[in-house]
Amino acid sequence: MLGRIWNWWRGKTPLVDAFLASPVAFMSLTGLFGGRMGLGLVAYLAWVGGLLLPLVFRRTYPRAMFTVICLVSLGQVIWNVPPLPANVAVLMALYTVAASPSFRWGLVALVLTEAGAFMA
């Protein structure tokens, strides 16, 4: 019985990835009650959604997911949005790309992440 559940669970990678991102989403929801770092409710939810929603496709489209999260983070730097709890998504995306068989993509992801950290 456990084998059937495990096989069903493994076939639902977006569902599994959403489950793995849920602690970060919960951590980000605490920002709704503890102050939104000077952002309005809609802006806060938009930034958090832009950072966390791509994680649902973490294993299906790893490079596209990393690109979207990097662009949202770049937008944070450009519009001077303070760091959010959802910025942990950058590290999750970096891990996903770095764990792929391609060394070059992992290296590019590492350089982009470090450049973003330097800009922030």
Side-chain angles (χ1 to χ4, degrees):
M1 180 171 155
L2 222 56
R4 286 190 336 204
I5 294 172
W6 180 253
N7 288 335
W8 177 84
W9 185 252
R10 285 181 48 183
K12 311 287 188 240
T13 55
L15 181 65
V16 172
D17 291 336
F19 177 74
L20 292 175
S22 64
V24 180
F26 178 72
M27 190 172 59
S28 297
L29 286 178
T30 60
L32 290 176
F33 308 111
R36 292 181 288 275
M37 290 117 189
L39 297 171
L41 176 64
V42 175
Y44 182 81
L45 290 176
W47 286 113
V48 168
L51 288 167
L52 294 182
L53 286 178
L55 287 177
V56 173
F57 304 104
R58 192 171 71 88
R59 284 184 272 173
T60 312
Y61 306 105
R63 292 189 297 251
M65 174 263 325
F66 181 78
T67 303
V68 169
I69 290 175
C70 281
L71 289 174
V72 171
S73 296
L74 178 64
Q76 262 187 289
V77 171
I78 291 171
W79 282 290
N80 202 21
V81 176
L84 304 170
N87 283 116
V88 173
V90 175
L91 298 176
M92 293 173 76
L94 171 64
Y95 168 76
T96 302
V97 174
S100 70
S102 175
F103 176 75
R104 281 187 283 168
W105 281 107
L107 188 61
V108 168
L110 177 66
V111 168
L112 285 174
T113 303
E114 288 300 320
F118 179 74
M119 287 191 306

